[in-house]
Amino acid sequence: MTTRDEILRLGEELMRTQGFNAFSYYHLADALKLRPAAVHYHFPTKDALALSIISRSRETFHAFAEHAALEPDLQKRLHQFVRIFSENAATDKICLMGAAGADFYTFSDETRTEVQLLVREIIVWLAALLREGKACGVFTFDGTPRTRAMLIATNMAASLHMARILGKQEFPRIADQLVKDLCIPQKSTAKRKEK
Amino acid sequence: MTTRDEILRLGEELMRTQGFNAFSYYHLADALKLRPAAVHYHFPTKDALALSIISRSRETFHAFAEHAALEPDLQKRLHQFVRIFSENAATDKICLMGAAGADFYTFSDETRTEVQLLVREIIVWLAALLREGKACGVFTFDGTPRTRAMLIATNMAASLHMARILGKQEFPRIADQLVKDLCIPQKSTAKRKEK
DNA sequence: AAATATACTGACTAGTTAGTAAGTGGTCAA
DNA sequence: TTGACCACTTACTAACTAGTCAGTATATTT
């Protein structure tokens, strides 16, 4: 792993645990056993760092989407999406939507646009999943797939806040109900459970 | 309005627009035409300020709850709750749950506990509304009232992030669908619309 | 009239912040 | 072997940070 990547990784972690304005170049440098100037070498300004963190997160999501496309079962695909958030809840992190949304007005226009792209891509992906799932009878919901995608995304994002504030046990409660609301029980192709 | 109240009001506004770690005592003092030491006179430490902001917000919510109790129509009561968030969306603010959730790990234990109390009170109030509404046939939902309250609260909180990132038009879309999901259409006591 | 409390200001400090500029050691290609 | 590039370090600055302390003007009480 290159120094640049380590800075991005740690920067994202700090952004999603303490907030973008709660850590400094010194914190990054110290944790990575570098001088602050080395961090400036890779990211001249803090906003450039924010931009790269968001952009890297977009790439991570693209990779997730590519991997998820291999899963033919749409309910399982939804579960893969939920699992991303569930992992964050376990480590007390909020998602980048939540973190960047809170710090939004401290970013440059360029960085805000990158945040917008990230969120749009997530919503578009989720809406497509919901549309397809509804068409083939695995999901049920009212309203447009896009609005439903917004409802689910907002549930997931703020559930991470709730998990921090009220306790980790809140996340699975919210996530399980969300999935129940959406999924039409499927006839198992495996042996049926005894009644 | 006393200086103390003005500091609290501005502090909360800055916390909910830029984040708690993005403003300083100097910013507060400058905007209120005071010296930073005057702010320290009212709130010795920044964490004490955070604590008072949250605590004041709890009182505001208690006042809301008291006022809302006068409304016998439970659907209207839900609308009153949603309207709080809709006003924030209009002014690009996130709610205190969202803001305090993001900055959570930069607060003292005492302040975190106050955040916890605020969120718990909101959830308890909302769960009671849902329970009552379900019992008298105006709301419909699966799962426990508390879990449903969590789903609604997370929708509301993160919708404010979405309104910032993707545009204000997102908020009413999300809120309207949320209300539609929940509310059983009531027979109007007024003259029925022509079909 | 004297003492006390309130709500500040002025002047300060020690530490932190993002950001710069000049230099250094290593690698690699021509 | 020279020169260019990379990934830094050292040394620095100017501005800002939370927080302190010793005053001071103005009421209010005794």
Side-chain angles (χ1 to χ4, degrees):
Chain A
M1 215 190 195
T2 66
T3 298
R4 195 191 131 92
D5 285 337
E6 286 190 67
I7 295 170
L8 285 172
R9 194 202 51 75
L10 181 60
E12 185 181 329
E13 190 184 313
L14 289 172
M15 183 170 170
R16 289 171 48 197
T17 47
Q18 275 140 259
F20 188 68
N21 294 298
F23 72 88
S24 70
Y25 271 41
Y26 174 82
H27 292 125
L28 290 169
D30 198 52
L32 299 172
K33 290 177 184 177
L34 294 169
R35 303 290 122 198
V39 184
H40 278 284
Y41 170 77
H42 292 286
F43 306 98
T45 68
K46 216 185 166 192
D47 190 74
L49 174 62
L51 183 67
S52 295
I53 289 171
I54 318 283
S55 151
R56 179 173 166 272
S57 200
R58 283 182 64 201
E59 283 162 30
T60 306
F61 184 72
H62 299 160
F64 163 82
E66 216 170 301
H67 174 259
L70 303 174
E71 172 60 64
D73 183 331
L74 300 186
Q75 294 197 354
K76 280 188 190 161
R77 220 185 273 180
L78 176 71
H79 273 100
Q80 286 178 1
F81 179 75
V82 171
R83 194 172 305 121
I84 298 174
F85 292 86
S86 142
E87 280 159 16
N88 289 327
T91 51
D92 295 308
K93 276 179 218 141
I94 58 173
C95 67
L96 214 55
M97 288 190 285
D103 297 325
F104 199 62
Y105 293 117
T106 67
F107 295 148
S108 70
D109 283 354
E110 201 189 348
T111 302
R112 286 185 206 178
T113 303
E114 195 72 19
V115 175
Q116 210 171 86
L117 287 172
L118 171 68
V119 174
R120 248 205 283 263
E121 282 162 2
I122 294 170
I123 297 300
V124 164
W125 180 87
L126 195 49
L129 173 67
L130 294 173
R131 185 177 294 111
E132 198 185 335
K134 194 179 193 181
C136 65
V138 300
F139 296 143
T140 175
F141 57 87
D142 282 340
T144 65
R146 191 181 181 280
T147 299
R148 188 58 50 184
M150 294 290 286
L151 282 158
I152 293 171
T154 53
N155 279 142
M156 288 291 95
S159 290
L160 298 178
H161 292 72
M162 292 299 185
R164 281 183 167 191
I165 297 169
L166 299 180
K168 294 200 208 320
Q169 76 281 359
E170 300 293 346
F171 185 84
R173 286 184 193 160
I174 299 171
D176 289 353
Q177 188 59 53
L178 182 153
V179 167
K180 261 183 217 155
D181 285 353
L182 201 64
C183 292
I184 299 170
Q186 301 295 298
K187 273 182 210 161
S188 175
T189 51
K191 217 192 296 180
R192 266 204 205 88
K193 261 189 210 158
E194 312 277 324
K195 201 193 160 182
Chain B
M1 212 188 196
T2 66
T3 299
R4 196 191 131 92
D5 284 338
E6 285 190 67
I7 296 170
L8 284 172
R9 195 202 51 76
L10 181 60
E12 185 181 328
E13 189 184 314
L14 289 171
M15 184 170 170
R16 289 171 47 197
T17 47
Q18 274 140 261
F20 188 69
N21 295 298
F23 72 87
S24 71
Y25 271 40
Y26 174 81
H27 292 125
L28 290 170
D30 198 52
L32 299 173
K33 291 176 182 175
L34 295 168
R35 302 291 121 198
V39 185
H40 278 283
Y41 170 76
H42 292 285
F43 306 98
T45 66
K46 216 186 166 191
D47 191 74
L49 175 61
L51 182 66
S52 295
I53 289 172
I54 317 285
S55 152
R56 179 174 167 271
S57 200
R58 282 181 64 200
E59 283 162 30
T60 306
F61 183 71
H62 299 160
F64 163 82
E66 217 169 301
H67 175 260
L70 303 174
E71 171 59 63
D73 183 331
L74 300 185
Q75 292 196 356
K76 281 187 189 160
R77 218 185 275 181
L78 176 71
H79 273 101
Q80 286 177 1
F81 179 75
V82 171
R83 194 173 306 122
I84 299 175
F85 293 86
S86 144
E87 280 159 17
N88 289 327
T91 51
D92 294 311
K93 275 179 218 140
I94 58 173
C95 66
L96 213 56
M97 286 191 287
D103 296 325
F104 199 63
Y105 293 118
T106 68
F107 295 147
S108 70
D109 283 353
E110 202 189 347
T111 302
R112 286 186 207 177
T113 303
E114 195 71 21
V115 175
Q116 211 172 85
L117 287 173
L118 171 68
V119 174
R120 248 204 284 262
E121 282 162 2
I122 294 171
I123 297 300
V124 164
W125 179 87
L126 195 50
L129 174 68
L130 294 173
R131 184 176 295 112
E132 196 185 337
K134 195 179 192 180
C136 64
V138 301
F139 296 143
T140 173
F141 58 88
D142 281 341
T144 65
R146 191 180 182 280
T147 300
R148 190 57 52 182
M150 294 290 285
L151 281 158
I152 292 171
T154 53
N155 280 142
M156 288 291 95
S159 289
L160 298 178
H161 293 72
M162 292 300 186
R164 282 182 166 191
I165 297 168
L166 299 179
K168 295 201 209 317
Q169 75 282 358
E170 300 294 346
F171 184 84
R173 286 184 194 160
I174 298 171
D176 290 353
Q177 188 59 53
L178 182 153
V179 168
K180 261 185 218 156
D181 285 354
L182 201 63
C183 292
I184 298 170
Q186 301 296 298
K187 271 181 213 163
S188 175
T189 53
K191 215 192 300 177
R192 267 207 205 86
K193 261 190 211 158
E194 313 275 325
K195 200 196 160 180

